Amino acid sequence: MTGELKKLCQMLKSEDIELRCAAARVLGELQPREPAAIRSLGEAVLDDMSEASVHALHALGQLHSKHA
């Protein structure tokens, strides 16, 4: 996984809800195929059922991946 993807995945765990939302939206646009990135989005969906979880779920839907 590239350094940028790692940073985005780390941002999904931030205390800042806006940062988590932004990271999920960017990951949805990037449509990563790396299992670690997909796993991070999945964990974000289950994290706290906040607005960020909704963005993470939407990003997973954009991936069209069996891993998602």
Side-chain angles (χ1 to χ4, degrees), residues 1-10 27 30 32 34 37:
M1 184 163 45
T2 66
E4 290 82 16
L5 280 179
K6 281 184 181 181
K7 287 180 186 179
L8 286 166
C9 291
Q10 290 171 345
L27 284 167
L30 292 176
E34 290 83 351

Side-chain angles (χ1 to χ4, degrees), residues 30-63:
L30 292 176
Q31 298 184 4
R33 298 292 178 216
E34 290 83 351
I38 296 170
R39 189 171 33 259
S40 291
L41 282 167
E43 290 169 0
V45 169
L46 300 174
D47 190 30
D48 61 4
M49 300 310 291
S50 68
E51 182 181 355
S53 296
V54 174
H55 287 291
L57 183 60
H58 180 73
L60 283 172
Q62 290 179 293
L63 298 182

Side-chain angles (χ1 to χ4, degrees), residues 15-32:
E15 297 277 327
D16 183 344
I17 187 89
E18 294 298 324
L19 192 58
R20 291 196 323 254
C21 289
R25 287 192 302 266
V26 170
L27 284 167
E29 291 297 319
L30 292 176
Q31 298 184 4

